[in-house]
Amino acid sequence: MVVHTMQIFDRQGQPLYYREFNRPLAASKDEHKLMYGFLFSLKKLVASLSPKKGGGFYACSTSAYKLHYFETASGLRFVMTTDLAMADMRDVLRYIYSNFYVECLVKNPLWRPGEPITCPNFTKSLERYVATL
Amino acid sequence: MRRVGEAAFSKVEKINSELFSLTYGAIVTQLLKDYEEVDATNTQLEKMGYNIGVRLIDEFLAKAQVGNCGNFGETAEVIAKVGFKMFLGITAEVVGVSEKEFSLQLPENPLAEFVELPEQYGSLAYNNMLCGVLRGALEMVQMRVECSLTKDALWGDEVTEIRVVLKEMMEEEYVDDD
């Protein structure tokens, strides 16, 4: 079980957080912007294809990795790329949201919503958690 | 819905309610000293509430485990039975629901536990921070609303009532800066 990257966007598509855990090949230029554009368009398309109301996407796979997606009602988007062996990660991303994002950032007066996340406590908790996956 | 509220309430940290009322009172008093007039204080309380609401919504969503609301009336129920329970330990009554507006009535109000308004501050909207919290929190879930304190037990009314009017459902859009 390998986690490659983890990133968080806000509603406006600003990258709040990016972290590589195990990524042998370097990221391309403009990756964050492309990623957000991809997620945004995919979400629109998936919604319009759906036979009934609702039914957003939460993961997509390639032959080499899997991308997991979790969106909160407040517009935060959590994205994680892992190897193909990882099953449904929505609960994991929700756990990161409720236990690390809310506890380390939302309750932290030094961080303002919409600012890039530099809080060491958040990174430390996240690293420790990802290591257990 | 009430049960969801109880469950959410059991998950949050509690503090002594008297300490809470007194702290809030101290904030309002300090604002009155700093701004020297009632209207400016009302506005400031609302602004502070807004900034609280913008953050509070994430804790709410993380802990309350509620699904999407189908209509504005459902939103009202969630706020009254889950939101108020979770953060203030009380539940509110929803009255006057329509597509675009609703009112929340608070039979008891932990903020104003020991409060009497002195005569010269008769028009102080002591609970205005609640209006701001609602506005901030709802804005984060794409609802632009206006909130106002229409009745207040401190003004001699029987209950405290907050009117919430939906102005706009905000659409998500893609901002491309190239």
Side-chain angles (χ1 to χ4, degrees), chain B residues 63-136:
Chain B
K63 295 202 174 133
Q65 310 278 359
V66 287
N68 289 351
C69 293
N71 56 46
F72 203 47
E74 224 173 283
T75 311
E77 283 297 323
V78 170
I79 294 171
K81 300 290 180 297
V82 188
F84 271 87
K85 183 73 193 170
M86 181 168 160
F87 292 106
L88 290 177
I90 54 165
T91 53
E93 289 305 320
V94 181
V95 290
V97 189
S98 75
E99 295 269 290
K100 295 263 174 225
E101 48 191 339
F102 61 80
S103 295
L104 296 167
Q105 289 187 339
L106 311 180
E108 45 177 343
N109 181 0
L111 289 181
E113 200 72 18
F114 313 107
V115 181
E116 272 175 36
L117 292 184
E119 222 158 86
Q120 73 267 35
Y121 298 131
S123 61
L124 177 70
Y126 186 82
N127 300 304
N128 222 19
M129 197 181 270
L130 294 178
C131 297
V133 172
L134 289 175
R135 182 168 71 90

Side-chain angles (χ1 to χ4, degrees), chain A residues 99-100 104 119-131:
Chain A
N99 291 283
F100 308 145
C104 303
C119 171
N121 207 0
F122 177 78
T123 300
K124 227 181 281 164
S125 314
L126 182 67
E127 272 172 1
R128 218 174 299 139
Y129 180 61
V130 166

Side-chain angles (χ1 to χ4, degrees), chain A residues 26-43:
Chain A
S28 65
K29 214 171 119 264
D30 282 347
E31 189 183 84
H32 296 314
K33 215 196 264 177
L34 290 171
M35 173 66 98
Y36 185 74
F38 166 71
L39 295 171
F40 190 87
S41 327
L42 189 59
K43 186 184 155 195

